[in-house]
Amino acid sequence: MAFQGTERYVATAELSLAVNAAIQLGRPLLVKGEPGTGKTLLAEQVAESQGARLITWHVKSTTKAQQGLYEYDAVSRLRDSQLGDPRVQEVANYIKPGKLWDAFTAEDPVVLLIDEIDKADIEFPNDLLLELDRMEFHVYETGETIRAQRRPVIIITSNNEKELPDAFLRRCFFHFIRFPERETLEHIVQVHYPDLQARLVKEALDLFLDLRSVPGLKKKPSTSELVDWLVLLLGDEAAQRALHGEGGLPPLAGALVKNEQDLQLLERQAFMRRRRS
């Protein structure tokens, strides 16, 4: 079944093409883009559209590739041996399967999300090359080989915090999610709030896009922050009226501006506009 987005996820033609190409090739889909553009949500919606189960591996700075395969709890086995526990005779009792193990051994269709791979050590992607390429790995403690019963759809996200190795990139199908055009943003808003007044949508989008275009902004507001902002606007008539104001910060600015440098920049610009008026 070709992916074309879902009722809750607006996918551009380029993104749909990338998802379907990765599935057809049987390669991981590496998705990059600024935070808040829907990279993680994409995996959830691909799973929903394919009728597949989602397995999520959230990568942290301390995550090791081995944890995605399995972990051997030698300490517990030693403790149990000292206590005379009969479980120590079977080493498999101390093997904890990881996310790749779960995905490879699943009998049902699976989408495996490896989320924010660039947070881990630079060697992390290289340590998964063979497993992702061959869809198998060896468990040395038990001597067994875990092979994928059916190839899972693998989606890997990155916020581009660090460069990924060329050998890893070669094995992926790559797509960069560009920030949506105004028409796509309007579609996204309509999906979330179909009954929203056209006037409010236009005014909110005008202000939101103006904010993103401010030179020197350290963190531009994202699509997800636009949606959060609209939630707040819907429940605050005073904030809606403030959209008409000129020369000040946007109403409920904390939903869009997330650091003090950007706040000070916008306040300075607002002050200069008031002086000129």
Side-chain angles (χ1 to χ4, degrees):
M1 184 187 302
F3 176 74
Q4 296 179 329
T6 67
E7 291 183 357
R8 297 188 297 115
Y9 190 90
V10 179
T12 62
E14 293 81 7
L15 177 57
S16 298
L17 181 64
V19 171
N20 294 319
I23 293 174
Q24 183 176 353
L25 291 172
R27 291 190 177 276
L29 173 63
L30 174 61
V31 184
K32 290 187 179 184
E34 60 181 86
T37 50
K39 299 185 296 297
T40 301
L41 185 59
L42 171 65
E44 299 174 8
Q45 298 306 304
V46 169
E48 180 180 312
S49 70
Q50 302 292 310
R53 178 164 58 96
L54 179 66
I55 296 177
T56 302
W57 185 11
H58 293 294
V59 177
K60 302 178 182 179
S61 59
T62 55
T63 303
K64 302 299 180 185
Q66 180 64 34
Q67 294 171 314
L69 308 180
Y70 67 92
E71 294 182 89
Y72 170 52
D73 192 352
V75 174
S76 292
R77 192 182 187 198
L78 175 61
R79 183 193 62 232
D80 289 349
S81 68
Q82 294 171 338
L83 296 174
D85 193 323
R87 295 175 69 252
V88 299
Q89 303 302 320
E90 185 59 58
V91 68
N93 291 327
Y94 302 91
I95 300 291
K96 179 184 177 182
K99 299 296 186 180
L100 266 71
W101 184 315
D102 292 342
F104 287 1
T105 57
E107 296 181 357
D108 52 332
V110 161
V111 172
L112 172 63
L113 169 63
I114 304 178
D115 199 26
E116 299 189 333
I117 193 172
D118 52 326
K119 281 190 174 181
D121 185 86
I122 189 61
E123 292 304 319
F124 180 90
N126 280 335
D127 291 342
L128 290 176
L129 287 180
L130 189 62
E131 290 76 13
L132 294 180
D133 202 25
R134 296 186 179 179
M135 288 287 152
E136 66 177 36
F137 60 89
H138 189 69
V139 183
Y140 295 97
E141 289 78 6
T142 63
E144 63 182 319
T145 298
I146 304 299
R147 293 187 179 88
Q149 298 186 23
R150 61 163 70 201
R151 183 177 287 270
V153 176
I154 300 177
I155 297 178
I156 303 171
T157 71
S158 169
N159 286 327
N160 224 10
E161 293 183 7
K162 63 169 68 80
E163 289 295 324
L164 299 174
D166 289 344
F168 178 79
L169 295 175
R170 234 179 8 252
R171 289 165 169 81
C172 298
F173 191 95
F174 171 75
H175 182 74
F176 181 84
I177 298 182
R178 294 179 176 83
F179 191 80
E181 300 289 339
R182 184 185 184 106
E183 182 179 351
T184 304
L185 284 173
E186 290 173 348
H187 192 184
I188 292 171
V189 171
Q190 185 180 19
V191 165
H192 286 85
Y193 305 106
D195 299 325
L196 202 59
Q197 293 180 358
R199 179 188 59 80
L200 179 58
V201 172
K202 180 184 182 304
E203 292 173 352
L205 281 180
D206 285 345
L207 202 158
F208 174 78
L209 292 172
D210 285 346
L211 183 58
R212 278 188 58 89
S213 67
V214 171
L217 208 61
K218 184 176 180 181
K219 183 197 175 301
K220 296 180 180 181
S222 67
T223 311
S224 63
E225 287 160 344
L226 168 63
V227 174
D228 290 344
W229 186 49
L230 283 169
V231 171
L232 296 174
L233 286 176
L234 282 172
D236 192 330
E237 292 185 3
Q240 293 179 32
R241 291 193 295 271
L243 289 173
H244 301 284
E246 296 181 0
L249 290 173
L252 302 166
L256 301 174
V257 185
K258 298 302 176 72
N259 62 68
E260 62 276 15
Q261 295 97 319
D262 288 345
L263 186 62
Q264 290 168 3
L265 172 64
L266 294 171
E267 287 173 340
R268 284 197 301 271
Q269 289 193 344
F271 175 74
M272 295 303 294
R273 283 196 297 269
R274 286 195 297 269
R275 289 196 62 180
R276 289 195 296 267
S277 60

